[in-house]
Structures are given as structure tokens and as C-alpha cells.
Amino acid sequence: MKVSCPTCQKQVEWKAENKFRPFCSERCKLIDLGEWADESHRIAGQPDPKQMEHMSDDELMAMMEKLQAKPDGD
Ligand SMILES: [Zn+2]
């Protein structure tokens, strides 16, 4: 069975070995999470999700860690 990656629409095999399904890669999964976080939290100075597609994996990971480290409530 094949599904389209929600981020880049690439055809990706839906199988147990693909731990990022329905995404084609960890990168696309992070980008999708980033978009969700961006819509939910609206952090000023947060990079645009479209920019994230051009970021390195290290940059993405660092940013996701920052997002997830955000304390609940305000
Ligand atoms: Zn993808």
C-alpha cells in the first residue's frame, strides 16, 4: 500500500519499517509538526514552515526541541 506524504506528496510505502509513516522521512514529519506548532502557538520569530524545508536536519531538530520545551500555559 502506498500513501502520499502529507508534506511533500511523495508516494511512500506504508509499512512497519517506515517509522515516519505516513511521512516519507523524519524531515517531512518534523516539517508537518512545525506547521502544526506554528498554527497553534504563533511564536514570534518562528521560521516559516516553507523556510523549514530548506533547513538542515540539525537546524530542524534544534528548533523542534525548542518548540517542545515550551512550558504549557502562559
Ligand atoms: Zn515527504
Side-chain angles (χ1 to χ4, degrees):
M1 175 178 153
K2 289 205 172 176
V3 297
S4 295
C5 170
T7 302
C8 70
Q9 272 75 55
K10 193 168 116 180
Q11 289 289 295
V12 49
E13 192 90 38
W14 184 283
K15 54 183 178 183
E17 299 93 282
N18 179 5
K19 59 180 172 174
F20 307 120
R21 66 187 187 274
F23 303 94
C24 68
S25 62
E26 181 174 27
R27 187 182 184 85
C28 280
K29 186 176 178 176
L30 288 177
I31 288 170
D32 192 73
L33 286 173
E35 291 194 33
W36 170 84
D38 188 55
E39 282 179 25
S40 303
H41 302 293
R42 285 282 162 207
I43 303 163
Q46 201 64 32
D48 188 277
K50 297 291 164 257
Q51 274 179 269
M52 290 172 68
E53 291 176 28
H54 304 289
M55 290 167 71
S56 72
D57 289 345
D58 282 351
E59 286 173 313
L60 279 174
M61 289 306 290
M63 197 174 72
M64 293 313 295
E65 274 170 32
K66 255 191 274 176
L67 285 175
Q68 283 162 5
K70 240 177 81 70
D72 281 335
D74 214 8

